[in-house]
């Protein structure tokens, strides 16, 4: 049995990661997004799940009662699509599952049944997680399709509905016509990040023909000076709701896909309409139709209104045309006339082709959105803040029939996992979560302001998303999952049934033994909120009151959740939903306490992608390098929130370093002598205690890479220096080994267990106390003294490089004490005049002046030794230096031999040197 298997068995036999409530101990509860097991685990997943494990192990060794659970998110329709494609023998799917994931043929056959796919891969995930040494409490594991979990989701949605947070209505959704189902991010093969742009359409008129100008800023309709059409394209005349509309061919197709009744009446070229006038419905003004080649038929309706005062593109286009049309300012922004013009001039934009136009548009949008108000002359809207005016005009236009909405994807194509192109569909009886509710947003912002965010700059992204989030379609027609309790033709979709399951972890193992059909809404009301009658609740669940109380107590012991970890592409949905739902369902003392957001993974510089085959399976990496090397590389190559790059060459380097670490520890454990303690021993032990402090501080703020720099890479250098520098003392190295193994145990648990056992310990290192920083053990003067020696070596080396000859003798001149006095006076800010009042300095007047002239105060070291201390530091290293340079060293406190006048150049902490 290899070392990894041996420790996995020991941890399992001793059941050391099982978390039980213990009122005597402080708890620490962290969770990471549960995986959707529809494929094999690759090294990118390895990073996601190793981060929480390192933190869990660190906290456990610090004496916390740690809960780190895991479960499987199998809700939704992706596996239905996969099963379907396997059934029809889709070559690409078979290639991924057969060749890339190496699923045995017999198993692959069984994948025609969707649930078999998630069962197979959740088993594989668990095996990999165990092999990587994750300290997970598996007793709480569940699939999101288990009946007990469904009861929990049922409770969640009934509660949300009763609070008025689930609504029903017409709603645009991404839709797959072939699956006949709305699709979520997980269901997509392409276009995962595509959102639905909602344009407001304003109906300008040329006689009876409607020119539907599409805009994201309907409030600017009052500032329209002209219309833009592309003379090079052929527009369609179509019948929409009894009206005659002008649309690009692409726009007409999109409207039809949306389910609108669009009938083609004829064609008309853009050219024909150029030069005519059309009427603005909000003020009955006639404006000219001008030619613009920049009008893209595949963007919205292909009909564009021009607002030069507030849209930089329009302003520049008119300027390029040398038109005499003047911008019409309709938003007051700090008294600026035509803000678009101002920003275009500010950025020095020359023409329509200038790529700074995008930036200009954003700047104007941001300024007007945050500070702009509608100009007072606009009837019905004057004085309104821009964002309010935008909502009001769009609803006024809809009511009067002068406007409407137009939807399109923010990017295309959007392709379902089944291979079909998705469309936007208006679903009439769609259920949605009302994230647009201002009260709900306020509560969630309150939650955000009271939790920690790592990295801290992500906080503003959350603020943005909470503000921006609109109602969310939370049900689907098909897929695995929990049915909507009051309308069972709908299934709750995956991003909506995964928002508060952290609470479910605290009680999952208790529910396993209870008949799901007996778990009522009142059961969860009691367990999570303490409301209702305990006796009745226990009776209807057919459990004893003691068991019920135990379940409630366990929830209260672990909650609130201390840390939630997830990837950065889930900031705008999952992580934000997580906050929303907690604020709606739980009292504020149970709201989440912290969020960590991960960066993405690259493979040899390229984006990891299963569908492109650009991944390394975790099991292959473990097989090749070993679990600890995989962990160490993943944690050492980037901080959790940074993107990381898996490069096999660097992984191999990491392997060599870990081997070196093991060898240093084994050497330390085996060493036997009775050398007494010297400065150099105190130096290594001071370094050790420094590393303990730095590592602990870094781990406390999730800076795992930084922690490893201190605990591992730097400390290996320190030990190597020590071994070079002196005959190693057994007692020193034994103390180092004892602390260093524990310091590294959260990162490389297998190696550390093995070494810990070799050092004669019976207890597991995983349960041993983490080293505690002890500032008293750090001796600053020996640290500084050793730096002096290193600096002297560097200086001598530089001199030798210049002379190029082999040294005969090296003379080292230590600065006299008056120069040390001068450094002290300089750092306390004394002027030349004040310095000259001191008789000890006055006698060296000329030299003092020269030193003062050539020394910056910030260059003076914090700690300046006396000459005697400096002399002792160098004396202690003399024989070492002589060995390194192969010649003798002479140290001078006051020079009696100085043929090249080098003593004059000496400074405190930086002696003068003469190489003979
Ligand atoms: Zn589909």
């Amino acid at each position: 049995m290899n070392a990894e298997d041996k420790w996995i068995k020991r941890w399992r036999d001793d059941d050391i990661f099982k978390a039980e409530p213990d009122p005597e101990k402080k708890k620490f509860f962290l969770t990471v997004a549960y995986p959707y097991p529809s494929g094999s685990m690759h090294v990118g997943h390895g990073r996601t799940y190793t981060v929480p494990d390192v933190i869990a192990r660190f906290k456990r060794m610090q004496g916390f009662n740690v809960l780190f659970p895991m479960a499987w998110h199998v809700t939704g329709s992706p596996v239905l699509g996969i099963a379907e494609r396997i059934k029809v023998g889709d070559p690409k799917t078979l290639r991924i599952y057969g060749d890339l994931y190496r699923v045995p043929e017999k198993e692959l056959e069984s994948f025609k049944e969707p649930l078999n796919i998630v069962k197979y891969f959740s088993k594989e995930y668990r095996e990999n997680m165990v092999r990587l040494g994750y300290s997970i409490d598996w007793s709480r594991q569940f699939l999101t399709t288990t009946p007990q979990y469904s009861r929990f989701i049922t409770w969640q949605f009934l509660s949300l509905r009763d609070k008025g947070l689930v609504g029903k209505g017409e709603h645009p959704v991404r839709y797959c016509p072939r699956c006949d189902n709305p699709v979520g991010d997980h269901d997509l093969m392409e276009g995962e990040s595509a959102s639905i742009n909602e344009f407001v359409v304003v109906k300008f008129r040329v006689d009876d023909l409607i020119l539907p100008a599409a805009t994201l800023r309907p409030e600017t309709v009052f500032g329209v000076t002209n219309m833009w059409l592309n003379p090079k394209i052929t527009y369609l005349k179509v019948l929409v709701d009894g009206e005659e509309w002008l649309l690009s061919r692409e726009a007409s197709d999109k409207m039809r896909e949306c389910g609108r009744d669009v009938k083609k009446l004829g064609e008309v070229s853009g050219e024909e309409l150029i030069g005519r006038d059309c009427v603005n419905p909000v003020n009955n003004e006639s404006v000219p139709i001008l030619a613009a080649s920049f009008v893209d038929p595949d963007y919205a309706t292909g009909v564009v209104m021009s607002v030069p005062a507030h849209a930089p593109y329009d302003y520049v286009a008119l300027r390029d045309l040398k038109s005499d049309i003047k911008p019409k300012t309709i938003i007051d922004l700090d008294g600026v006339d035509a803000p678009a013009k101002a920003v275009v001039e500010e950025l020095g934009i020359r023409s329509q082709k200038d790529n700074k136009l995008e930036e200009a548009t954003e700047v104007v949008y941001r300024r007007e959105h945050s500070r702009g108000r509608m100009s007072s002359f606009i009837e019905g809207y004057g004085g309104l803040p821009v964002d309010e005016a935008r909502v009001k005009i769009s609803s006024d236009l809809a009511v009067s029939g002068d406007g409407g909405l137009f939807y399109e994807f923010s990017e295309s194509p959007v392709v379902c996992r089944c291979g079909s192109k998705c469309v936007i569909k208006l679903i009439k009886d769609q259920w949605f979560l009302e994230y647009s509710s201002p009260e709900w947003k306020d509560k969630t912002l309150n939650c955000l302001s009271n939790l920690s965010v790592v990295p801290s700059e992500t906080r503003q992204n959350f603020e943005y998303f909470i503000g921006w989030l609109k109602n969310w379609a939370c049900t689907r027609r098909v897929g695995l999952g929990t049915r909507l309790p009051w309308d069972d033709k709908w299934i709750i979709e995956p991003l909506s049934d995964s928002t508060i399951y952290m609470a479910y972890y605290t009680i999952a193992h208790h529910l396993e033994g209870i008949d799901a059909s007996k778990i009522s809404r009142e059961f969860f009301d009691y367990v999570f909120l303490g409301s209702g009658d305990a006796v009745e609740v226990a009776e209807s669940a057919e459990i004893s009151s003691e068991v019920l109380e135990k379940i409630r107590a366990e929830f209260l012991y672990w909650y609130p959740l201390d840390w939630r970890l997830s990837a950065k592409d889930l900031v705008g949905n999952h992580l934000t939903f997580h906050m929303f739902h907690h604020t709606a369902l739980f009292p504020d003392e149970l709201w989440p306490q912290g969020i960590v957001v991960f960066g993405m993974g690259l493979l040899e510089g390229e984006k990891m992608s299963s569908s492109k085959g650009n991944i390394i399976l975790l099991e292959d990496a473990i097989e090749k390098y070993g679990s600890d090397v995989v962990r160490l590389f993943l944690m050492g190559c980037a901080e959790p929130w940074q993107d990381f790059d898996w490069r096999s060459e660097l992984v191999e380097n990491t392997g060599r370093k870990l081997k070196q670490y093991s060898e240093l520890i084994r050497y330390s454990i085996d060493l036997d002598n009775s050398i007494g303690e010297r400065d150099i021993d105190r130096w290594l032990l001071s370094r050790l205690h420094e590393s303990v402090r730095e590592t602990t501080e870094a781990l406390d703020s999730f800076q795992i890479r930084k922690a490893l720099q201190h605990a591992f890479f730097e400390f290996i250098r320190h030990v190597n220096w020590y071994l070079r520098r002196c005959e190693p003392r057994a007692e020193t190295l034994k103390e180092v080994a004892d602390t260093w193994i524990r310091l590294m145990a959260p990162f490389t648990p297998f190696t550390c267990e093995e070494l810990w056992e070799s050092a004669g310990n019976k207890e597991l290192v995983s349960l041993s106390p983490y080293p505690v920083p002890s500032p008293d053990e750090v001796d600053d003067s020996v640290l500084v003294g050793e730096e002096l020696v290193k600096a002297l070596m560097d200086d001598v080396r530089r001199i030798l490089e210049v002379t190029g000859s082999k040294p005969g003798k090296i003379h080292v001149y230590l600065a006299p004490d008056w120069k040390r006095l001068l450094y002290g006076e300089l750092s306390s800010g004394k002027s030349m005049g004040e310095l000259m009042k001191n008789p000890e300095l006055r006698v060296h007047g000329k030299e003092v002046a020269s030193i003062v002239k050539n020394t910056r105060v910030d260059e003076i070291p914090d700690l300046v030794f006396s000459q005697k201390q400096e002399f002792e530091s160098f004396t202690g290293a003399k024989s070492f230096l002589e060995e390194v340079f192969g010649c003798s060293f002479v140290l001078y406190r006051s020079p009696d031999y100085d043929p090249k006048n080098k003593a004059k150049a000496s400074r405190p902490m930086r002696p003068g040197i003469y190489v003979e």
Side-chain angles (χ1 to χ4, degrees):
M1 191 188 287
N2 68 27
E4 290 177 6
D5 292 338
K6 168 179 151 193
W7 294 110
I8 288 168
K9 183 172 183 312
R10 173 83 187 275
W11 295 332
R12 189 173 46 216
D13 290 348
D14 292 6
D15 206 7
I16 63 167
F17 304 128
K18 182 157 185 193
E20 300 273 13
D22 177 353
E24 302 295 310
K25 274 170 103 177
K26 259 192 100 169
K27 65 93 185 179
F28 184 84
F29 180 22
L30 83 171
T31 65
V32 58
Y34 48 20
Y36 189 95
S38 64
S40 287
M41 206 175 173
H42 59 65
V43 292
H45 302 121
R47 200 271 285 265
T48 303
Y49 298 101
T50 304
V51 171
D53 185 60
V54 170
I55 299 297
R57 286 177 168 276
F58 164 63
K59 286 288 176 184
R60 196 176 289 114
M61 289 178 72
Q62 279 193 324
F64 286 86
N65 192 13
V66 173
L67 173 54
F68 174 28
M70 192 59 62
W72 315 106
H73 196 200
V74 302
T75 334
S77 52
V79 285
L80 272 55
I82 296 164
E84 189 58 35
R85 275 176 284 135
I86 285 175
K87 217 181 281 175
V88 300
D90 174 59
K92 193 174 168 194
T93 309
L94 290 176
R95 206 161 49 238
I96 293 176
Y97 283 80
D99 301 345
L100 189 62
Y101 298 156
R102 300 194 301 266
V103 178
E105 210 158 315
K106 207 179 104 230
E107 300 281 357
L108 201 54
E109 188 65 23
S110 78
F111 281 11
K112 291 171 181 169
E113 167 53 47
L115 211 50
N116 289 337
I117 301 174
V118 288
K119 281 187 179 149
Y120 176 87
F121 286 110
S122 57
K123 190 162 157 274
E124 197 189 274
Y125 257 75
R126 177 163 169 174
E127 277 163 16
N128 277 312
M129 288 178 166
V130 168
R131 282 188 76 187
L132 274 175
Y134 294 164
S135 58
I136 291 168
D137 176 358
W138 289 106
S139 70
R140 297 157 195 266
Q141 175 190 222
F142 58 87
L143 294 178
T144 54
T145 46
T146 55
Q148 288 87 348
Y149 188 78
S150 277
R151 300 303 300 155
F152 166 69
I153 299 300
T154 301
W155 168 80
Q156 176 185 2
F157 273 78
L158 286 173
S159 306
L160 290 170
R161 185 197 60 178
D162 289 355
K163 289 169 189 290
L165 298 173
V166 186
K168 189 180 187 179
E170 191 176 85
H171 201 73
V173 294
R174 293 185 297 201
Y175 200 85
C176 172
R178 173 142 158 231
C179 299
D180 194 19
N181 195 34
V183 285
D185 289 353
H186 293 303
D187 306 320
L188 293 173
M189 200 144 69
E190 260 184 275
E192 285 169 18
S193 52
S195 53
I196 296 173
N197 282 337
E198 184 183 292
F199 293 91
V200 171
V201 164
V202 187
K203 297 177 184 170
F204 286 71
R205 286 183 165 83
V206 180
D207 302 327
D208 284 337
L209 179 64
I210 287 174
L211 269 50
T215 176
L216 295 167
R217 298 195 56 190
E219 75 281 11
T220 62
V221 68
F222 299 100
V224 169
T225 57
N226 61 288
M227 191 61 60
W228 297 116
L229 288 182
N230 192 332
K232 300 224 172 58
I233 63 177
T234 302
Y235 287 87
L236 301 185
K237 244 186 220 178
V238 294
L239 193 67
V240 178
D241 302 331
E243 297 172 335
E244 223 176 287
W245 284 31
L246 184 81
L247 287 173
S248 69
R249 188 178 304 277
E250 291 82 351
S252 152
D253 289 345
K254 284 177 211 163
M255 284 187 72
R256 195 171 292 120
E257 283 165 357
C258 262
R260 301 283 294 270
D261 190 16
V262 179
K263 203 173 286 155
K264 184 177 163 186
L265 299 172
E267 295 182 354
V268 51
S269 86
E271 190 77 60
E272 276 177 57
L273 290 160
I274 306 296
R276 298 190 60 178
D277 283 350
C278 60
V279 178
N280 186 338
V282 298
N283 51 18
N284 286 319
E285 275 178 22
S286 277
V287 294
I289 300 170
L290 302 183
S293 55
F294 61 78
V295 171
D296 176 359
D298 202 15
Y299 184 75
T301 54
V303 177
V304 179
M305 64 189 208
S306 166
V307 191
H310 304 284
Y313 276 101
D314 296 332
Y315 173 74
V316 174
L318 284 170
R319 196 177 66 179
D320 287 359
L321 274 179
K322 301 199 169 27
S323 156
D324 52 10
I325 290 174
K326 292 271 164 299
K328 183 178 166 199
T329 306
I330 50 100
I331 291 169
D332 289 337
L333 180 75
D334 315 329
V336 182
D337 183 45
K341 174 171 179 262
V343 172
V344 163
E345 283 163 5
E346 214 174 291
L347 296 175
I349 292 170
R350 286 159 182 272
S351 76
Q352 290 170 69
K353 297 204 171 62
D354 201 318
N355 43 27
K356 284 202 295 276
L357 266 171
E358 195 67 38
E359 187 192 339
T361 304
E362 254 171 60
V363 171
V364 174
Y365 178 86
R366 214 170 41 232
R367 289 184 190 165
E368 295 188 344
H369 183 83
S370 63
R371 304 199 304 274
R373 283 177 181 274
M374 302 304 286
S375 298
S376 54
F377 66 84
I378 302 169
E379 209 177 317
Y381 299 89
L384 280 184
V386 162
D387 52 342
E388 277 178 42
R390 187 173 306 148
V391 176
K392 186 168 187 315
I393 183 76
S394 109
S395 96
D396 289 351
L397 285 168
V399 170
S400 67
D402 287 325
L405 297 173
F406 182 90
Y407 301 104
E408 76 180 14
F409 289 125
S410 61
E411 59 182 81
S412 67
V414 177
V415 181
C416 174
R417 288 220 185 202
C418 78
S420 300
K421 199 172 160 224
C422 295
V423 299
I424 296 165
K425 186 163 178 174
L426 280 175
I427 300 229
K428 303 270 185 232
D429 56 350
Q430 174 64 50
W431 291 98
F432 48 82
L433 288 160
E434 300 203 0
Y435 294 129
S436 60
S437 151
E439 297 82 39
W440 203 4
K441 282 184 194 292
D442 279 351
K443 249 178 143 178
T444 306
L445 282 170
N446 186 11
C447 169
L448 175 66
S449 67
N450 287 307
L451 61 69
S452 311
V453 179
V454 176
S456 57
E457 58 268 25
T458 309
R459 181 178 296 278
Q460 62 191 43
N461 298 17
F462 281 114
E463 280 165 5
Y464 169 79
F465 281 117
I466 292 170
W468 169 88
L469 204 59
K470 296 189 178 131
N471 290 345
W472 180 267
C474 61
T475 53
R476 301 282 184 268
R477 289 287 191 190
V478 295
L480 305 176
T482 302
R483 294 198 172 271
L484 196 66
W486 60 88
D487 187 358
D488 71 0
K489 63 179 182 291
W490 292 102
I491 295 157
I492 296 163
E493 63 86 37
L495 278 164
S496 301
D497 82 347
S498 56
T499 59
I500 54 163
Y501 67 91
M502 312 80 202
Y504 188 80
Y505 275 134
T506 67
I507 59 170
H509 51 312
H510 296 296
L511 300 197
E512 246 174 49
I514 305 177
D515 178 352
S517 68
K518 301 281 188 294
I519 302 177
S520 61
R521 199 179 162 185
E522 289 73 25
F523 174 86
F524 291 110
D525 278 341
Y526 187 78
V527 170
F528 293 140
L529 308 173
S531 61
D533 185 305
V535 176
E536 277 173 28
V537 169
E539 238 168 54
S540 73
E542 295 178 2
I543 53 173
S544 68
S545 296
E546 290 74 46
V547 170
L548 181 66
E549 292 306 340
K550 198 175 158 197
I551 297 174
R552 162 111 177 115
E554 173 137 18
F555 166 69
L556 287 176
Y557 178 77
W558 297 112
Y559 243 54
L561 178 66
D562 296 285
W563 289 100
R564 174 71 183 162
L565 292 73
S566 197
K568 76 177 168 198
D569 53 337
L570 297 180
V571 167
N573 47 57
H574 166 72
L575 285 170
T576 297
F577 296 175
H578 166 66
M579 288 187 272
F580 265 96
H581 285 245
H582 272 87
T583 66
L585 295 164
F586 297 98
D588 47 6
E589 66 274 14
L590 299 181
W591 293 355
Q593 301 292 297
I595 288 179
V596 180
V597 177
F598 292 135
M600 311 301 265
L602 301 174
L603 177 58
E604 309 286 346
E606 302 282 327
K607 196 176 168 217
M608 288 190 202
S609 158
S610 298
S611 58
K612 296 202 175 76
N614 192 43
I615 52 163
I616 287 183
L617 295 190
L618 209 42
E619 57 172 296
D620 293 344
I622 296 171
E623 204 59 54
K624 185 165 176 194
Y625 305 105
S627 294
D628 277 342
V629 174
V630 172
R631 291 173 63 109
L632 192 57
F633 174 77
L634 289 170
M635 295 301 96
C637 63
E639 294 294 5
W641 54 89
Q642 294 168 333
D643 294 346
F644 76 99
D645 192 0
W646 178 276
R647 290 191 182 263
S648 48
E649 196 193 322
L650 300 179
V651 183
E652 274 156 29
N653 282 344
T654 306
R656 281 191 286 275
K657 275 274 173 224
L658 185 60
K659 193 155 167 265
Q660 208 188 344
Y661 166 80
S662 288
E663 284 164 3
L664 288 173
I665 299 268
R666 287 195 188 281
Y667 172 80
S668 304
I669 294 169
D670 294 341
L671 191 66
D672 186 19
N673 63 36
S674 49
I675 297 173
E677 193 182 53
R678 301 146 301 179
D679 272 359
I680 191 67
D681 296 300
R682 277 188 290 280
W683 173 81
L684 185 63
L685 295 174
S686 294
R687 281 285 176 213
L688 180 68
H689 290 288
E690 281 272 279
S691 294
V692 169
R693 179 183 58 78
E694 290 161 336
T695 305
T696 307
E697 280 174 8
L699 284 178
D700 277 333
S701 54
F702 282 86
Q703 297 178 84
I704 298 183
R705 176 176 190 269
K706 191 175 172 193
L708 270 177
Q709 290 296 333
H710 294 303
F712 187 67
F713 297 102
E714 274 176 15
F715 204 72
I716 288 178
R717 279 201 294 277
H718 294 325
V719 174
N720 281 333
W721 173 255
Y722 172 84
L723 293 177
R724 239 186 107 189
R725 186 69 172 71
C726 66
E727 192 191 343
R729 171 176 174 258
E731 208 183 315
T732 301
L733 285 184
K734 283 204 172 32
E735 186 179 339
V736 166
D738 179 84
T739 303
W740 200 13
I741 299 171
R742 287 180 291 129
L743 194 64
M744 282 298 294
F747 307 98
T748 52
F750 297 104
T751 305
C752 291
E753 288 291 7
E754 198 65 22
L755 294 171
W756 191 243
E757 187 184 53
S758 302
N761 296 291
K762 297 276 174 288
E763 275 289 305
L764 291 165
V765 75
S766 300
L767 298 179
S768 300
Y770 204 68
V772 177
S774 41
D776 296 350
E777 304 284 333
V778 178
D779 183 336
D780 284 330
S781 68
V782 297
L783 289 178
V784 171
E786 202 54 25
E787 289 311 309
L788 275 183
V789 174
K790 287 185 185 172
L792 177 65
M793 287 175 72
D794 288 344
D795 284 347
V796 170
R797 252 189 225 113
R798 262 194 293 274
I799 294 169
L800 293 178
E801 262 168 36
V802 175
T803 60
S805 58
K806 201 178 168 326
K809 208 179 219 180
I810 294 170
H811 305 268
V812 179
Y813 304 98
L814 308 190
D817 275 329
W818 69 263
K819 288 187 184 172
R820 299 171 199 271
L821 171 70
L822 174 60
Y823 264 30
E825 300 285 68
L826 274 178
S827 358
S828 63
K830 293 250 168 75
S831 69
M832 193 62 198
E834 287 168 308
L835 293 173
M836 283 302 112
K837 282 183 194 141
N838 187 325
E840 274 180 72
L841 295 178
R842 199 163 49 223
V843 293
H844 302 286
K846 238 172 119 185
E847 264 190 278
V848 169
S850 145
I851 292 175
V852 170
K853 193 171 152 232
N854 293 308
T855 308
R856 291 207 328 262
V857 174
D858 58 7
E859 288 170 350
I860 297 176
D862 291 338
L863 181 59
V864 176
F865 281 179
S866 68
Q867 198 199 47
K868 182 166 174 286
Q869 279 175 298
E870 210 173 296
F871 183 75
E872 280 164 6
S873 295
F874 287 127
T875 305
K878 190 164 174 287
S879 58
F880 166 69
L881 291 167
E882 290 178 336
E883 204 186 306
V884 170
F885 291 100
C887 70
S888 65
F889 271 66
V890 192
L891 298 167
Y892 298 92
R893 299 188 66 175
S894 58
D896 49 16
Y897 175 78
D898 186 11
K900 298 285 181 197
N901 201 18
K902 294 289 185 189
K904 205 177 156 201
S906 69
R907 293 283 184 276
M909 312 304 274
R910 184 140 196 203
I913 300 163
Y914 170 48
V915 178
E916 202 169 39

